[in-house]
Amino acid sequence: MKWNTAQRMTLLDAIVSLETKDEAKLFLRDLMTESEIDECSRRLRVAEMLLDRVPYTIIEKETGLSSATVARVSKWLRG
């Protein structure tokens, strides 16, 4: 992914400018749907579990995400 586009840099600038959880909540609420926020939260949980070496089957069961998504997150962590 190319990060050096004006729009992506603006997004990154906005994210790093957030100072509190309340600001982050408002930002995410305005930027994403509830289901998109849930999906990001589950993917973050997958990353935590992968770092703890939890087996894919348990990750899939706990998060409700597919093995393909778990594998994708694993690939991102390694890359």
Side-chain angles (χ1 to χ4, degrees):
M1 174 183 292
K2 294 181 181 178
W3 284 101
N4 290 333
T5 67
Q7 290 177 333
R8 290 178 179 169
M9 293 307 290
T10 299
L11 175 62
L12 291 173
D13 289 341
I15 291 169
V16 299
S17 73
L18 300 172
E19 296 182 6
T20 67
K21 285 185 180 182
D22 286 335
E23 285 182 1
K25 288 177 190 177
L26 293 173
F27 178 80
L28 291 174
R29 182 204 61 201
D30 291 345
L31 189 66
M32 302 165 71
T33 66
E34 186 174 352
S35 61
E36 290 170 331
I37 293 169
D38 288 342
E39 179 75 11
C40 287
S41 299
R42 286 191 305 229
R43 287 179 183 218
L44 180 58
R45 180 65 184 133
V46 167
E48 293 170 337
M49 295 174 81
L50 287 168
L51 291 172
D52 288 338
R53 301 191 185 280
V54 176
Y56 274 34
T57 54
I58 294 172
I59 295 172
E60 292 167 35
K61 185 175 181 177
E62 182 177 313
T63 65
L65 294 174
S66 69
S67 60
T69 300
V70 174
R72 189 175 310 115
V73 173
S74 178
K75 182 179 177 181
W76 293 335
L77 282 174
R78 291 189 314 265

